[in-house]
Amino acid sequence: MTTLTFPLSRIEGHARVIIEIQQGEVLSAHFQATELRGFEYLVQGAPAEQMPVITPRICGVCSTAHHVAAVKALEDAYEVTPPPLALKIRELLMLGQLIQNQATSLFIFTMPDRLGVSSIFQIEDHELGSDETQTRIATRALQVRKAGTDLIALAGGQFIHPIKAVIGGVTSGIETEAAEKMRNYLEAIIPMAQELFDYYWETSLELGERLGTWGDDQPACYISAIAGSCPNFYGNVLHVTSTDGNVCTTFPAKDFRKHLTYQSTDYSYAGQTSYEGEVIRANSLARINMLYNLGTPQADKYMDRFREAFGQPAHALLLFDMARGIELVYALERATEILSEPLNNDEVAVPYTLKDGEGYGLVEAPRGPLIHHYSIKKGLIDQAEFIIPTVHNNLAIERALRVAAERYITEEWVDMELEYAVGRVVRAFDPCIACATH
Amino acid sequence: MKTFAVLQLSGCAGCEVSLLNADAWIDEYKLLYMPLVISAYNVPDVDILLVSGGVRTDEDLYNLRRAVKNTKQVIAVGTCAISGGIANLGNRDEVRKLFLAHQVERPHVPRLLPRSHPIDTFVEVDRYLPGCPPTPDLFMAILFDKPDFKPARTVCQECGRKKLKDMRPKHLLGFQSGEVLPDICLINQGYLCIGSSTRGGCGAPCTRAGHPCVGCRGPSNAFIEKESSAWFDSIQRVFASMTDIPPEEIEAALRSPQLALFLFQFSDYAGTDRPPRQKEKVL
Ligand code: SF4
Ligand code: SF4
């Protein structure tokens, strides 16, 4: 037996892919998460109130999603409803997170795969010619990304581990002047983001042509906390679609155990989820498949273009990346809409009383639906569960890896394209290992 | 061009994300290794090695020791690498037991060490950049070694909130309790803010936004070479002078996990007899 080990890069966290082969036959393809910090254990005994500050530290990429999910779980337990203005500010937070994440995934993690380089920070001018669109991708990518982090900082106080969402609301509104400044700034970023995304689209088409495939895995079920029209990433209920694209189940966060089966493995610190025995997929493509439209002008144009080219539901792997670009444009546009509304004119928080019990908090994080579940005894966390989008994707990642391995491994040899294919497959799902293992 | 590399051990990648926001380095430095953004699998010889995250697995330890061999300067960035940060919550005995139980079930992944360690338990560190994460400005200051960069001594100095004499709370409100009055010190409002003895330089984003400082940058220079109890005592003195909150209440709150993440680790090397970090090395 031959064991091939592929270290992974340009993803969040520590992971590798192990493929076992025997005489050209692929025996297994495993996606291994190799780190563990143990948040479900280490928060035990912490005062429940402190979870919104502790849990963002699960992951510096998805911190905003954890921050908001923690607050929502506690509000569920304490039975408090935050005022409408606080919800708007939290939606802004989630949009900032989406901008930041999709820009990072598109332009920093996966753009190099299109350009055949190891990093956008190592593109030498001569590699790509000196054409304006091709040079300084790194600078512009960082600028678009920063629009997201600046928005998180404005709405959340701090851009990596935000602090402004508190039980019952947010600590403060956003001053009109600051909101206007941010809106103008984001409006200036939109064309830059579109330009980069257009270039990304083009180079993706070239890649697909060169490879002769867009990632030919079988159709899958999808899971997301948004569906229909005009999404709100603040999150509401979960939806699952069957392989033909129709929504087959809708359920609240607290019922996730009735529908999703979790399994741990002995070869990875991250587990895997399935839906009634089926492989499921979360993340951008799940949402784009489930949405009728996004509701902002430029994003909807991209959506139409996407539908025309790839249909609905779309299943090819590289389309996850394309879907991220549509969402990037959407998030920028939607944020400018919210920033035009008054954000400093009303109460931002309501009082609450501490209570023991259980709470569930759901948000649609960039990687898919994220649930925090706490049980609280004497004001302290007795048990905590983090239901992580990457974990929903783990089976789908392994299935797709096997398809890639079978494509590039023959009895004669291993095609050198396999190494790149492994990277592309994993990055399409934009996994987050720190979250998946927590 | 100077070269640098970023080695990420067990952390959350927040330090790396913050570094990405300090984008001015891309014109001055060549980044040779940082798996988050570059496909490169070995740390090459570099001028500066930034290390984030704590040493949690045997693989972390091996990678760390191998990486420092060929580097001119080692900078520990972020609280995890310096003192354990959030991971230290997992060093509580009852939690460690659970960790180790996990261990038995998974033979194919790196072994977890019995506890998480700061990196200077194993290798020499030239500079320290605390923060969870350090802000982009702090990253710039340490990479470019700006002599004119003078961080504020404490978070209070950067916070801009006024300490009032005649507003003395009788009890703590905890950390979150709805709306916060603007411009007035959070201690006056009954919040457990520890900005008075926490190292400045972050620009006080948390307290400005209305959330108490949780001390992620560690003790200010006045306390950094002392045991953590000195930091702890100083916070208590501030509360005694500004509030009528019973000391037991403060003491109990200071020991809560959220603060324990940062408060009790910076100056104590749990389980070792190494000398304290010199303040000159800490930005
Ligand atoms: S110090 Fe904070 S931001 Fe940096 S890796 Fe640790 S938890 Fe993340
Ligand atoms: S104690 Fe906290 S709120 Fe008060 S001035 Fe200092 S940092 Fe600001």
Side-chain angles (χ1 to χ4, degrees):
Chain A
M1 188 183 70
T2 307
T3 305
L4 303 176
T5 302
F6 300 91
L8 293 168
S9 57
R10 288 188 271 118
I11 60 164
E12 191 300 315
H14 301 283
R16 62 189 176 213
V17 167
I18 309 280
I19 296 175
E20 290 177 335
I21 49 182
Q22 194 156 32
Q23 278 145 4
E25 193 196 336
V26 178
L27 300 179
S28 67
H30 284 156
F31 178 54
Q32 291 194 331
T34 56
E35 62 180 306
L36 172 69
R37 291 197 300 155
F39 272 77
E40 280 178 357
Y41 308 118
L42 61 83
V43 299
Q44 288 181 14
E49 272 194 295
Q50 299 180 4
M51 296 300 270
V53 170
I54 295 176
T55 58
R57 268 116 186 146
I58 292 174
C59 173
V61 177
C62 317
S63 44
T64 305
H66 288 293
H67 179 57
V68 177
V71 168
K72 285 182 83 172
L74 294 169
E75 283 169 349
D76 184 35
Y78 300 159
E79 294 173 273
V80 345
T81 312
L85 180 55
L87 298 186
K88 251 189 235 175
I89 290 174
R90 292 180 189 177
E91 190 188 346
L92 270 182
L93 261 172
M94 294 303 296
L95 291 167
Q97 164 97 90
L98 194 64
I99 297 168
Q100 191 247 171
N101 195 81
Q102 306 315 56
T104 307
S105 176
L106 283 166
F107 306 134
I108 299 182
F109 292 171
T110 60
M111 183 81 103
D113 297 331
R114 272 78 185 154
L115 304 181
V117 293
S118 64
S119 162
I120 56 160
F121 298 108
Q122 293 182 340
I123 301 173
E124 304 290 346
D125 285 358
H126 61 83
E127 285 179 40
L128 288 164
S130 52
D131 187 347
E132 254 304 281
T133 46
Q134 292 177 334
T135 47
R136 307 316 286 163
I137 289 173
T139 312
R140 288 183 294 154
L142 289 181
Q143 269 173 324
V144 175
R145 217 194 125 261
K146 191 156 180 291
T149 58
D150 286 358
L151 179 60
I152 298 175
L154 179 71
Q158 246 237 49
F159 81 92
I160 300 214
H161 297 316
I163 32 77
K164 264 177 83 163
V166 289
I167 306 160
V170 292
T171 57
S172 61
I174 300 175
E175 309 262 343
T176 316
E177 212 177 298
E180 215 176 279
K181 220 173 119 194
M182 179 57 70
R183 198 187 70 215
N184 293 336
Y185 167 45
L186 295 184
E187 273 168 4
I189 290 290
I190 293 174
M192 191 190 285
Q194 283 183 267
E195 209 187 310
L196 279 171
F197 179 39
D198 290 341
Y199 180 57
Y200 187 92
W201 189 297
E202 220 177 279
T203 49
S204 297
L205 292 178
E206 286 164 17
L207 177 71
E209 209 153 292
R210 179 173 74 73
L211 297 172
T213 172
W214 280 72
D216 41 4
D217 193 7
Q218 313 150 41
C221 298
Y222 290 90
I223 183 166
S224 158
I226 57 182
S229 160
C230 303
N232 185 340
F233 284 72
Y234 185 62
N236 182 15
V237 289
L238 291 113
H239 310 272
V240 177
T241 57
S242 50
T243 48
D244 60 9
N246 294 318
V247 172
C248 53
T249 321
T250 296
F251 55 94
K254 70 173 170 42
D255 288 345
F256 74 87
R257 269 181 231 86
K258 284 192 203 145
H259 302 274
L260 302 174
T261 313
Y262 175 84
Q263 200 190 341
S264 57
T265 70
D266 69 350
Y267 59 80
S268 171
Y269 280 121
Q272 308 170 324
T273 3
S274 55
Y275 167 74
E276 294 178 356
E278 297 271 349
V279 170
I280 45 171
R281 289 170 164 188
N283 209 314
S284 55
L285 189 59
R287 294 185 289 263
I288 293 295
N289 277 338
M290 281 193 215
L291 281 169
Y292 168 68
N293 72 347
L294 288 153
T296 63
Q298 296 303 324
D300 275 340
K301 272 192 207 153
Y302 282 110
M303 182 86 140
D304 291 344
R305 197 168 140 194
F306 181 90
R307 288 275 144 80
E308 223 166 275
F310 310 111
Q312 182 186 21
H315 296 292
L317 282 184
L318 293 182
L319 300 180
F320 271 99
D321 298 322
M322 306 293 260
R324 270 178 211 115
I326 306 176
E327 293 185 329
L328 169 64
V329 176
Y330 161 76
L332 285 161
E333 288 188 303
R334 176 71 188 132
T336 59
E337 286 176 6
I338 299 181
L339 287 164
S340 324
E341 298 169 23
L343 297 171
N344 202 23
N345 62 335
D346 214 345
E347 60 169 358
V348 290
V350 293
Y352 63 91
T353 10
L354 295 174
K355 261 196 354 194
D356 284 358
E358 296 210 25
Y360 292 83
L362 167 70
V363 295
E364 180 69 16
R367 294 178 171 77
L370 165 71
I371 304 170
H372 281 203
H373 168 218
Y374 308 145
S375 54
I376 305 166
K377 274 195 193 143
K378 297 198 183 115
L380 306 179
I381 295 292
D382 183 48
Q383 293 286 333
E385 266 183 300
F386 304 105
I387 318 304
I388 304 286
T390 293
V391 175
H392 300 327
N393 269 335
N394 276 342
L395 281 173
I397 293 175
E398 293 195 339
R399 191 175 78 175
L401 282 170
R402 194 180 242 281
V403 172
E406 280 165 358
R407 184 180 178 95
Y408 292 112
I409 294 170
T410 59
E411 207 168 332
E412 191 187 355
W413 66 5
V414 178
D415 191 304
M416 295 315 281
E417 188 63 33
L418 179 60
E419 181 187 342
Y420 302 102
V422 161
R424 284 191 302 264
V425 165
V426 172
R427 280 175 213 123
F429 291 92
D430 192 18
C432 179
I433 311 304
C435 288
T437 56
H438 45 277
Chain B
M1 249 196 209
K2 272 197 171 179
T3 57
F4 79 115
V6 183
L7 177 68
Q8 182 185 341
L9 304 175
S10 291
C12 82
C15 287
E16 285 74 11
V17 174
S18 185
L19 172 66
L20 287 180
N21 265 39
D23 50 5
W25 57 258
I26 68 175
D27 295 319
E28 313 269 342
Y29 276 88
K30 201 152 180 70
L31 175 60
L32 293 184
Y33 173 90
M34 178 172 173
L36 184 67
V37 301
I38 299 179
S39 296
Y41 301 106
N42 284 303
V43 185
D45 296 1
V46 283
D47 296 311
I48 299 179
L49 176 72
L50 304 180
V51 184
S52 73
V55 181
R56 175 77 259 193
T57 63
D58 53 2
E59 192 175 77
D60 284 339
L61 178 55
Y62 176 73
N63 288 341
L64 171 68
R65 293 180 63 218
R66 198 178 51 161
V68 298
K69 278 202 306 201
N70 301 319
T71 187
K72 296 201 186 94
Q73 199 189 19
V74 177
I75 305 179
V77 301
T79 308
C80 290
I82 297 173
S83 61
I86 192 99
N88 267 16
L89 281 185
N91 284 349
R92 293 176 293 165
D93 274 342
E94 64 281 18
V95 180
R96 279 177 50 200
K97 277 192 204 124
L98 290 169
F99 261 136
L100 298 178
H102 239 276
Q103 174 81 4
V104 184
E105 302 160 16
R106 292 187 173 83
H108 305 291
V109 282
R111 186 174 61 92
L112 293 172
L113 300 178
R115 59 185 305 140
S116 166
H117 299 272
I119 67 166
D120 59 6
T121 311
F122 305 106
V123 300
E124 282 300 318
V125 169
D126 301 294
R127 302 285 313 268
Y128 295 88
L129 183 65
C132 183
T135 58
D137 285 345
L138 286 164
F139 270 107
M140 295 301 290
I142 205 150
L143 274 177
F144 292 97
D145 207 5
K146 289 184 177 160
D148 54 334
F149 183 83
K150 292 256 174 329
R153 246 180 341 101
T154 64
V155 176
C156 278
Q157 288 186 335
E158 301 179 296
C159 157
R161 290 179 177 268
K162 266 214 174 52
K163 293 199 169 88
L164 303 181
K165 283 221 169 65
D166 49 356
M167 191 173 169
R168 299 177 65 87
K170 292 201 165 54
H171 287 286
L172 274 180
L173 281 180
F175 293 90
Q176 311 203 327
S177 185
E179 211 152 345
V180 173
L181 302 173
D183 308 325
I184 298 172
C185 173
L186 295 168
I187 295 183
N188 290 125
Q189 303 183 47
Y191 291 105
L192 186 58
C193 185
I194 64 167
S196 59
S197 350
T198 298
R199 189 168 205 85
C202 56
C206 301
T207 60
R208 283 171 184 274
H211 196 282
C213 171
V214 292
C216 79
R217 292 252 302 139
S220 67
N221 274 351
F223 311 107
I224 197 152
E225 293 179 4
K226 298 180 184 147
E227 287 178 3
S228 56
S229 61
W231 191 17
F232 187 70
D233 289 346
S234 132
I235 296 164
Q236 275 184 319
R237 279 198 301 277
V238 172
F239 275 84
S241 76
M242 285 180 66
T243 72
D244 298 323
I245 303 170
E248 314 80 67
E249 208 178 311
I250 305 287
E251 158 131 16
L254 286 176
R255 294 195 180 276
S256 78
Q258 170 171 289
L259 290 176
L261 298 178
F262 305 115
L263 199 50
F264 300 102
Q265 310 162 10
F266 268 92
S267 348
D268 294 336
Y269 283 77
T272 73
D273 45 13
R274 291 171 61 98
R277 289 123 181 155
Q278 297 154 276
K279 54 175 176 271
E280 294 74 26
K281 287 190 174 181
V282 185
L283 181 70

